[in-house]
Amino acid sequence: MREIAELMGRLAVNEGETTTGIPGVALHKRTENICRTPLLYQQGVIIVGQGAKKVHLADTVYTYDPDHYLVLSVPLPAECEAVVHPDEPLLSLKVDIDLHMLTSVIDQMDEAAPGCPARPCCRHQGLTLAFADAPFKETVRRLLCALLSPREARVLGRGLVRELLFRIMCGENAASLYALAHKNTGLSRIDKALKQIHCNFSQPCSVEQLAGAVNMSTSAFHRAFKDVTSLSPIQYLKKVRLNKARSLLVEDGLRASDAARQVGYESVSQFNREFKRYFGASPRNLPEINGR
């Protein structure tokens, strides 16, 4: 639907992220190629209006474009890349997942169709790709139209976000969000553990502590964690720390030694080695990292 790209272009005037009048909804514009680079995806839904991006997670590559949207039931360290044509910037819409709203949508769906096997049978991964059908695209179009007017965004915004969640739950890969919304599923427990990691990433942390916090055995927790994130808990924590450190270096202008300590590294030399291994450049070589 070309109108979606046009609306995104009107809303995302500047390079980078553009916040909107609806909390948890933002647009993003990119005019340069993205060479394959690590980043930390946040929990949410990413809808592309123009262009395409690839996400590399473990051995799997996910391509999302105007006909396929990305659902991240948990925050995930991954790698992304994109080829951007000079006259067609990459345009996308990011919608955070409001867990209370999601649970309400699911409860109403279950009340309307009790016993309906609405939960697709698939592994509850933290990242899934779904086909953007006509009803989904129409909801996205109306959401973008509302964002053009501060009054409409204020009055209609949350209702349209709720409708968007409903469309996703009617889609082919809704299983991960069902698992996220219901207590005591493997994914919901891992989500709780991930929140603990993100709140305390600079503190010492063990797999045993994380498993105990979500009432799982260490072996079961390790399996479930890797099923959701494609990483071990220690690998996940390391990548979160390195991504946080890069933000401190780029956005706050911290020195490498200060950034290392703030994210939990006791050894600056170890931090420098792992940073270069992960990002392909040393902490001092920020222009190279940013330009990749």
Side-chain angles (χ1 to χ4, degrees):
M1 188 183 291
R2 185 63 195 172
E3 187 177 359
I4 288 179
E6 293 173 353
L7 288 166
M8 286 189 184
R10 291 173 64 184
L11 291 161
V13 178
N14 300 318
E15 186 82 2
E17 183 175 282
T18 299
T19 58
T20 72
I22 304 175
V25 177
L27 292 111
H28 194 274
K29 178 180 180 180
R30 174 84 183 196
T31 57
E32 297 180 351
N33 291 340
I34 304 172
C35 295
R36 183 170 171 175
T37 187
L39 80 165
L40 182 61
Y41 277 89
Q42 300 301 317
Q43 187 181 55
V45 181
I46 304 177
I47 303 154
V48 172
Q50 182 170 271
K53 289 182 75 174
K54 291 182 178 180
V55 181
H56 299 260
L57 184 64
D59 297 327
T60 306
V61 180
Y62 301 85
T63 301
Y64 54 115
D65 54 28
D67 290 321
H68 302 86
Y69 60 93
L70 202 64
V71 178
L72 293 125
S73 55
V74 297
L76 281 178
E79 296 180 359
C80 79
E81 63 177 323
V83 175
V84 182
H85 299 288
D87 55 341
E88 292 187 356
L90 181 64
L91 298 169
S92 60
L93 177 72
K94 168 75 185 307
V95 181
D96 293 344
I97 296 173
D98 184 322
L99 191 55
H100 294 294
M101 184 183 290
L102 175 65
T103 302
S104 175
V105 168
I106 292 173
D107 288 345
Q108 286 194 297
M109 291 177 70
D110 287 346
E111 289 174 5
C116 177
R119 299 163 179 77
C121 294
C122 69
R123 296 178 71 193
H124 295 159
Q125 293 290 333
L127 182 153
T128 56
L129 200 66
F131 176 69
D133 59 16
F136 178 88
K137 289 183 178 181
E138 174 59 19
T139 301
V140 172
R141 185 193 69 80
R142 290 192 291 110
L143 174 59
L144 292 169
C145 285
L147 288 172
L148 293 172
S149 163
R151 183 171 65 173
E152 287 195 17
R154 183 179 181 87
V155 175
L156 303 176
R158 283 186 60 81
L160 289 166
V161 171
R162 182 184 179 87
E163 181 181 333
L164 188 68
L165 286 176
F166 169 74
R167 296 299 178 196
I168 294 170
M169 298 314 299
C170 292
E172 57 187 346
N173 287 330
S176 61
L177 293 189
Y178 270 111
L180 178 66
H182 286 82
K183 295 180 179 180
N184 298 323
T185 63
L187 192 146
S188 64
R189 291 186 179 189
I190 297 305
D191 178 61
K192 182 179 178 181
L194 294 179
K195 285 181 170 62
Q196 184 169 327
I197 288 175
H198 282 266
C199 289
N200 303 285
F201 62 86
S202 63
Q203 303 301 315
C205 182
S206 70
V207 177
E208 291 76 17
Q209 289 174 326
L210 290 170
V214 295
N215 297 316
M216 297 180 74
S217 69
T218 302
S219 58
F221 175 79
H222 196 280
R223 287 194 301 270
F225 196 100
K226 195 159 188 179
D227 184 48
V228 171
T229 68
S230 298
L231 296 165
S232 71
I234 301 304
Q235 288 172 328
Y236 185 97
L237 175 60
K238 180 185 294 186
K239 291 186 177 184
V240 167
R241 284 176 169 175
L242 291 171
N243 275 286
K244 297 287 187 181
R246 182 170 67 169
S247 294
L248 292 172
L249 292 165
V250 175
E251 297 172 14
D252 298 342
L254 264 64
R255 296 182 302 175
S257 57
D258 294 331
R261 293 187 180 94
Q262 284 202 25
V263 300
Y265 276 85
E266 295 182 359
S267 168
V268 177
S269 59
Q270 180 186 358
F271 167 75
N272 288 335
R273 288 194 303 272
E274 294 186 353
F275 191 98
K276 185 173 183 178
R277 188 181 304 121
Y278 187 45
F279 292 112
S282 69
R284 295 180 180 179
N285 199 1
L286 293 179
E288 179 181 341
I289 296 173
N290 294 332
R292 288 202 307 165

